[in-house]
């Protein structure tokens, strides 16, 4: 099987890893009673974004890779929703919210672009 992409070379993967680290650092400041609630949810969503990109690069078809990118995109919207809720309930301040969502917006656009490219140039 020939791999089309090395996930570590994909800018969207690197940026989504950076975002996951930021989410871990930010949620470390959440109250301990949120450990199994919002903290866990946001961390799992953020880690899933680069994880699914990496998984997709190991797939042997562009359709399978595109499906993994769809999952990453879905997880990014899940994380975006969680940041909105966390802000509204007072767990996340406006500065952290804006910082995370700025990065999320860029990652979402990159995922959509990569998915479009993969679908236009199947292997």
């Amino acid at each position: 099987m020939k791999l089309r992409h090395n996930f570590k070379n994909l800018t969207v993967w690197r940026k989504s890893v950076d975002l996951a680290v930021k989410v871990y650092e930010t949620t470390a400041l959440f109250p301990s009673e949120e450990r199994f609630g919002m903290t866990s949810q946001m961390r799992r969503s953020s880690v899933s974004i680069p994880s699914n990109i990496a998984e997709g690069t190991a797939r042997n078809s562009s359709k399978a890779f595109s499906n993994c990118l769809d999952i990453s995109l879905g997880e990014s919207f899940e994380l975006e929703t969680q940041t909105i809720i966390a802000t509204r309930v007072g767990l996340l301040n406006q500065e952290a919210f804006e910082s995370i969502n700025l990065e999320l917006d860029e990652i979402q656009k990159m995922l959509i672009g990569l998915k479009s490219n993969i679908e236009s140039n199947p292997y």
Side-chain angles (χ1 to χ4, degrees), residues 1-118:
M1 167 177 44
K2 179 185 173 220
L3 295 180
R4 175 108 190 230
H5 297 281
N6 177 340
F7 65 90
K8 293 178 222 162
N9 292 333
L10 294 172
T11 303
V12 68
W13 177 83
R14 290 194 308 271
K15 286 183 177 289
S16 58
V17 167
D18 291 343
L19 176 62
V21 170
K22 180 183 277 190
V23 167
Y24 263 77
E25 293 168 350
T26 302
T27 57
L29 305 173
F30 286 8
S32 60
E33 64 264 16
E34 284 298 328
R35 184 177 52 189
F36 299 111
M38 192 60 77
T39 299
S40 176
Q41 287 287 98
M42 290 178 69
R43 287 178 174 185
R44 282 186 283 132
S45 295
S46 69
V47 168
S48 187
I49 299 167
S51 298
N52 278 288
I53 296 167
E55 180 181 343
T57 63
R59 301 297 179 159
N60 60 2
S61 73
S62 53
K63 183 176 180 181
F65 187 12
S66 180
N67 184 56
C68 288
L69 295 176
D70 270 339
I71 295 167
S72 286
L73 188 59
E75 292 291 338
S76 76
F77 285 110
E78 186 175 321
L79 178 59
E80 184 174 356
T81 299
Q82 292 158 355
T83 64
I84 292 166
I85 294 167
T87 302
R88 289 184 63 182
V89 300
L91 295 172
L92 200 58
N93 66 38
Q94 192 64 32
E95 183 181 333
F97 170 80
E98 289 173 7
S99 176
I100 289 170
N101 279 285
L102 187 65
E103 290 182 39
L104 264 173
D105 184 58
E106 182 180 17
I107 289 166
Q108 289 164 347
K109 288 175 183 171
M110 293 175 83
L111 285 168
I112 291 166
L114 180 56
K115 183 175 167 12
S116 177
N117 185 279
I118 295 296

